[in-house]
Amino acid sequence: MKVFKFGGASVKDAAAVKNVAAILERYKEEQIIVVVSAMGKTTNALEDLLDAYYHGRPNTMELLEVVKRFHFDILKELFESTSHPIFEELHNTFVEIEWQLEEEQMREYDFEYDQMVAVGEWLSATVVSAYLKQVGLENKLQDVRDIIRTDNTYRNAKVDWEVTAENVNRYVKPYFSDSSNKLMITQGFVGSTSENFNSTLGREGSDYTGGIFANLVDAESLTIWKDVPGMLNADPKWFEETEKLNNISYHEAVELAYYGATVIHPKTIKPLQNKNIPLLVKSFVNPDEEGSIINENTAKDSLIPSFIFKTNQILISISPRDYSFIAEDNLSQIFGCFAKHKVTVNLMQNSAISFSICTDNQKMKIANLIEELKADYKVYYNDELLLLTVRHYNEETLSKLLKDKTIYVEQKSRQTARFVVK
Ligand SMILES: Nc1ncnc2c1ncn2[C@@H]1O[C@H](COP(=O)(O)OP(=O)(O)O)[C@@H](O)[C@H]1O
Ligand SMILES: N[C@@H](CC(=O)OP(=O)(O)O)C(=O)O
């Protein structure tokens, strides 16, 4: 059995959905679990909607209308008649969102977020499954909320592997035990709690869903279909000339993903590595091309420099008010504060009297964090920064890269150089 993951870009419009069908047609003799993300930028649109609803903004219903129109426009292109049951199904899903929006009693933001935002993946899976059936690719639409059980850390839920494995044994394996059943379509990114509420695995978490399924069905491979030819040594949105990394070890891939190569979610690798399942990154534009293969083999790791850029960074420097040293009890309090505000540290550095961290500048979270830190510390920050990581760096590439940049922090290990710059 194989697992395929199609991200938002691969189902961003009707033509893209047709292309997914064309790719699956090539594999129609094989048994495949297909994990899909929300269509195009739907997750961002649902985030905006949730934000408007939560803060009682007057444009809430307009924002819902945008998401609705986007999906119905795709449906009209994919299905000849509006009497196809999919129109009714999507309509009902949107009615459920409207009910949620009419609800006055709200729980905490992260809970409401998962109830709303998870809908994007359900819409996408429903549409893809119905379209595949229409073109003769029979499949089972499997709601992932009946499979992936998580705790209730909303927006960054932890998977309960035991219950999830039982669910896979109950709902997934029996379907595929009939060799005439070839395709199962399910949602990425989403899970559900023991109380049956939606949870999500963290932004861009559909790759991870692919990894979870691959692990639990002992898949022969997980393929992530992308708009790029494979994993490259830099994001082509930033660099004109990039090179494809043909063979990458799990170790190298996890390092690149951790530093911010957004082509793979960093959590995806571990469930694959545990069962030695290869991860293929392939182009949905040119499906015949080889792509990248990620497995345990370290011998073929490319040593050419790889570049990772993280934009919209903020560097926060924290120091005791009385110029005393930053000691372990300060660090423990500071990290407690990061954990409480769910702020992820991208890079950190300490000196005798100050401790600095570089993190994504998520405005609301950071404002609350700084406010709390200011009760006990002096806090300074610089924003609109860039975090540059160069894996397998050499001095020549670094001097080219850093030309005309002001360096705020510099860190080098044997393999990796990192800079916070403006
Ligand atoms: N090292 C890299 N190699 C290839 N693509 C990368 C890399 N780093 C970042 N990217 C970006 O990742 C994008 C694909 O990821 P994404 O847009 O999240 O896809 P999807 O929505 O299908 O999950 C590419 O278009 C590319 O701009
Ligand atoms: N739709 C979710 C999950 C995801 O993984 O999406 P994509 O595969 O398009 O990166 C997000 O945008 O975060």
Side-chain angles (χ1 to χ4, degrees), residues 5-11 35-44 47 113 117 120-121 188-190 200-209 224-226 262-263 265:
K5 181 260 174 171
F6 289 98
S10 55
V11 287
V35 173
V36 295
S37 302
M39 300 179 129
K41 301 283 177 204
T42 298
T43 305
N44 292 353
E47 278 187 347
Y113 179 103
V117 169
E121 265 64 19
F189 178 53
V190 172
T200 62
L201 306 175
R203 282 302 307 261
E204 280 143 37
S206 299
D207 295 351
Y208 181 40
T209 307
I224 299 187
W225 294 91
K226 289 279 170 182
T262 53
V263 68
H265 192 286

Coordinates of all heavy atoms in Angstrom, one line a residue, residues 5-11 35-44 47 113 117 120-121 188-190 200-209 224-226 262-263 265, ligand 2:
K5 N 0.1 12.3 -0.4 CA -0.4 13.5 0.2 C -0.5 14.6 -0.9 O 0.6 14.9 -1.5 CB 0.5 13.9 1.4 CG 0.0 15.2 2.1 CD 0.7 16.4 1.6 CE 0.2 17.7 2.2 NZ 1.0 18.8 1.9
F6 N -1.7 15.2 -1.0 CA -1.8 16.3 -1.9 C -2.1 17.5 -1.1 O -3.1 17.6 -0.4 CB -3.0 16.0 -2.9 CG -2.6 15.0 -3.9 CD1 -3.1 13.7 -3.8 CD2 -1.9 15.3 -5.1 CE1 -2.8 12.7 -4.7 CE2 -1.6 14.4 -6.0 CZ -2.0 13.1 -5.9
G7 N -1.2 18.5 -1.2 CA -1.3 19.8 -0.4 C -2.3 20.8 -1.1 O -2.8 20.5 -2.2
G8 N -2.5 21.9 -0.4 CA -3.4 22.9 -0.9 C -3.1 23.4 -2.3 O -4.0 23.6 -3.1
A9 N -1.8 23.5 -2.7 CA -1.5 23.9 -4.0 C -1.9 22.9 -5.1 O -2.2 23.3 -6.2 CB 0.1 24.1 -4.1
S10 N -2.0 21.6 -4.7 CA -2.3 20.6 -5.7 C -3.8 20.4 -5.9 O -4.3 19.7 -6.7 CB -1.7 19.3 -5.4 OG -2.0 18.9 -4.1
V11 N -4.6 21.1 -5.0 CA -6.1 21.1 -5.2 C -6.6 22.6 -5.1 O -7.7 22.8 -4.6 CB -6.8 20.2 -4.1 CG1 -6.5 18.7 -4.4 CG2 -6.3 20.6 -2.7
V35 N -4.2 11.6 1.3 CA -4.5 12.6 2.3 C -4.5 13.9 1.6 O -3.6 14.3 0.9 CB -3.3 12.5 3.3 CG1 -3.4 13.7 4.3 CG2 -3.2 11.2 4.0
V36 N -5.6 14.7 1.8 CA -5.6 16.0 1.1 C -5.7 17.1 2.1 O -6.2 17.0 3.2 CB -6.8 16.1 0.2 CG1 -6.7 15.2 -1.0 CG2 -8.2 16.0 0.9
S37 N -5.1 18.3 1.7 CA -5.2 19.5 2.5 C -6.4 20.3 2.0 O -6.9 20.0 0.9 CB -3.9 20.3 2.4 OG -2.8 19.6 2.8
A38 N -6.6 21.4 2.8 CA -7.7 22.3 2.3 C -7.3 23.0 1.0 O -6.1 23.1 0.7 CB -7.8 23.4 3.4
M39 N -8.3 23.3 0.2 CA -8.0 23.8 -1.2 C -7.3 25.2 -1.2 O -7.8 26.1 -0.6 CB -9.3 23.8 -2.0 CG -9.9 22.5 -2.1 SD -11.5 22.5 -3.0 CE -11.2 21.2 -4.1
G40 N -6.2 25.3 -1.9 CA -5.5 26.6 -2.1 C -5.2 27.2 -0.7 O -4.6 26.5 0.2
K41 N -5.6 28.4 -0.5 CA -5.3 29.1 0.7 C -6.5 29.1 1.7 O -6.7 30.1 2.5 CB -4.9 30.6 0.4 CG -3.7 30.7 -0.5 CD -2.4 30.4 0.2 CE -1.2 30.5 -0.7 NZ -0.1 29.7 -0.2
T42 N -7.4 28.1 1.6 CA -8.6 28.1 2.4 C -8.3 28.2 3.9 O -9.0 28.8 4.7 CB -9.4 26.8 2.1 OG1 -9.8 26.8 0.8 CG2 -10.6 26.6 3.0
T43 N -7.2 27.5 4.4 CA -6.9 27.6 5.8 C -6.7 29.0 6.3 O -7.2 29.5 7.3 CB -5.7 26.7 6.2 OG1 -6.0 25.4 5.7 CG2 -5.4 26.7 7.6
N44 N -6.0 29.8 5.4 CA -5.8 31.2 5.8 C -7.1 32.0 5.8 O -7.3 32.8 6.7 CB -4.9 31.9 4.8 CG -3.4 31.4 4.8 OD1 -3.1 30.6 5.7 ND2 -2.6 31.8 3.9
E47 N -8.9 31.1 8.9 CA -8.3 31.8 10.0 C -8.8 33.2 10.1 O -9.1 33.7 11.2 CB -6.8 31.8 9.9 CG -6.1 30.6 10.3 CD -4.6 30.7 10.3 OE1 -4.0 31.7 9.7 OE2 -3.9 29.8 10.8
Y113 N -10.8 27.8 17.1 CA -10.0 27.8 15.9 C -10.1 26.4 15.2 O -10.4 26.2 14.1 CB -8.5 28.1 16.2 CG -7.5 28.0 15.1 CD1 -7.1 29.2 14.5 CD2 -7.1 26.8 14.6 CE1 -6.1 29.1 13.5 CE2 -6.1 26.7 13.6 CZ -5.7 27.9 13.0 OH -4.8 27.9 12.0
V117 N -11.5 25.8 11.6 CA -10.5 25.7 10.5 C -10.4 24.3 10.0 O -10.1 24.1 8.8 CB -9.1 26.2 11.1 CG1 -8.0 25.9 10.1 CG2 -9.2 27.8 11.3
G120 N -11.9 23.2 6.5 CA -11.3 23.3 5.1 C -10.9 22.0 4.6 O -11.1 21.7 3.4
E121 N -10.3 21.1 5.4 CA -9.9 19.8 4.9 C -11.1 18.9 4.6 O -11.0 18.1 3.7 CB -9.0 19.2 6.0 CG -7.5 19.4 5.8 CD -7.0 20.8 5.9 OE1 -7.7 21.6 6.5 OE2 -5.9 21.1 5.4
G188 N -6.0 15.7 5.8 CA -4.8 15.9 6.5 C -5.0 16.9 7.6 O -6.2 17.4 7.8
F189 N -4.0 17.1 8.5 CA -4.0 18.2 9.4 C -4.9 18.1 10.6 O -4.7 18.7 11.7 CB -4.4 19.5 8.6 CG -4.4 20.8 9.3 CD1 -3.4 21.3 10.1 CD2 -5.6 21.6 9.1 CE1 -3.5 22.6 10.7 CE2 -5.7 22.9 9.7 CZ -4.6 23.3 10.5
V190 N -6.0 17.2 10.5 CA -7.1 17.2 11.5 C -7.1 15.9 12.3 O -6.6 14.9 11.8 CB -8.4 17.4 10.7 CG1 -9.6 17.2 11.6 CG2 -8.4 18.7 10.0
T200 N -6.4 20.1 15.6 CA -5.5 20.2 14.4 C -4.0 20.0 14.9 O -3.7 20.2 16.0 CB -5.6 21.5 13.6 OG1 -5.2 22.6 14.5 CG2 -7.0 21.7 13.1
L201 N -3.2 19.5 13.9 CA -1.9 19.1 14.3 C -0.8 20.1 14.1 O 0.4 19.8 14.2 CB -1.5 17.9 13.4 CG -2.5 16.7 13.4 CD1 -2.1 15.6 12.4 CD2 -2.6 16.1 14.8
G202 N -1.2 21.4 13.9 CA -0.2 22.5 13.6 C -0.2 22.8 12.2 O -0.4 21.9 11.3
R203 N 0.0 24.1 11.8 CA -0.1 24.5 10.4 C 0.8 23.7 9.6 O 1.9 23.3 10.0 CB 0.3 26.0 10.3 CG -0.8 27.0 10.7 CD -2.1 27.0 9.9 NE -2.0 27.0 8.5 CZ -2.2 28.1 7.7 NH1 -2.4 29.2 8.3 NH2 -2.1 27.9 6.4
E204 N 0.4 23.4 8.4 CA 1.1 22.6 7.4 C 1.2 21.1 7.9 O 2.1 20.4 7.4 CB 2.4 23.2 7.1 CG 2.2 24.3 6.0 CD 3.2 25.5 6.2 OE1 4.3 25.3 6.6 OE2 2.7 26.6 6.0
G205 N 0.3 20.7 8.8 CA 0.5 19.4 9.4 C -0.1 18.2 8.5 O 0.0 17.1 9.0
S206 N -0.5 18.5 7.3 CA -1.0 17.3 6.5 C 0.1 16.4 6.1 O -0.2 15.2 6.0 CB -1.7 17.8 5.2 OG -2.8 18.6 5.5
D207 N 1.3 16.9 6.0 CA 2.4 15.9 5.7 C 2.5 14.9 6.8 O 2.7 13.7 6.6 CB 3.7 16.7 5.6 CG 3.8 17.7 4.5 OD1 2.9 17.7 3.6 OD2 4.8 18.5 4.4
Y208 N 2.4 15.4 8.0 CA 2.5 14.6 9.2 C 1.4 13.5 9.2 O 1.6 12.4 9.5 CB 2.4 15.5 10.5 CG 2.5 14.8 11.8 CD1 3.4 13.8 12.0 CD2 1.7 15.2 12.9 CE1 3.5 13.1 13.2 CE2 1.8 14.6 14.1 CZ 2.7 13.6 14.3 OH 2.8 12.9 15.5
T209 N 0.2 13.9 8.8 CA -0.9 13.0 8.7 C -0.5 11.8 7.8 O -0.7 10.6 8.0 CB -2.2 13.6 8.2 OG1 -2.5 14.8 8.9 CG2 -3.4 12.7 8.2
I224 N 4.7 12.8 -1.3 CA 4.2 14.2 -1.1 C 4.2 14.8 -2.5 O 5.3 15.0 -3.0 CB 5.0 15.0 -0.1 CG1 4.9 14.2 1.3 CG2 4.4 16.4 0.1 CD1 5.5 15.0 2.4
W225 N 3.1 15.2 -3.1 CA 3.0 15.8 -4.4 C 3.1 17.3 -4.3 O 2.3 17.9 -3.6 CB 1.8 15.3 -5.1 CG 1.8 13.9 -5.4 CD1 1.2 12.9 -4.6 CD2 2.3 13.2 -6.5 NE1 1.4 11.6 -5.1 CE2 2.1 11.8 -6.3 CE3 3.0 13.6 -7.7 CZ2 2.5 10.8 -7.2 CZ3 3.3 12.6 -8.6 CH2 3.1 11.3 -8.4
K226 N 4.1 17.9 -5.0 CA 4.3 19.3 -4.8 C 4.4 20.1 -6.2 O 4.5 19.4 -7.2 CB 5.7 19.5 -4.2 CG 5.8 19.0 -2.7 CD 5.2 20.1 -1.9 CE 5.0 19.7 -0.4 NZ 4.4 20.7 0.4
T262 N 10.0 24.7 4.1 CA 8.6 24.4 4.3 C 8.1 23.3 3.4 O 6.9 23.0 3.5 CB 7.8 25.7 4.1 OG1 8.2 26.2 2.8 CG2 8.0 26.7 5.1
V263 N 9.0 22.8 2.6 CA 8.5 21.8 1.6 C 8.1 20.5 2.4 O 7.2 19.8 1.9 CB 9.6 21.5 0.5 CG1 10.8 20.9 1.1 CG2 9.0 20.7 -0.6
H265 N 6.8 19.1 6.4 CA 6.7 19.4 7.8 C 7.6 18.6 8.6 O 7.7 17.3 8.5 CB 5.2 19.1 8.2 CG 4.9 19.7 9.5 ND1 5.3 19.1 10.7 CD2 4.1 20.8 9.9 CE1 4.9 19.8 11.7 NE2 4.2 20.9 11.3
Ligands
LIG2 N1 -4.3 23.3 5.4 C1 -3.4 23.3 6.5 C2 -2.6 21.9 6.5 C3 -1.6 21.7 5.4 O1 -0.7 21.0 5.6 O2 -1.7 22.4 4.3 P1 -0.7 22.3 3.0 O3 -0.5 20.8 2.7 O4 -1.4 23.0 1.9 O5 0.6 23.0 3.5 C4 -2.5 24.5 6.4 O6 -2.6 25.2 5.5 O7 -1.7 24.7 7.4

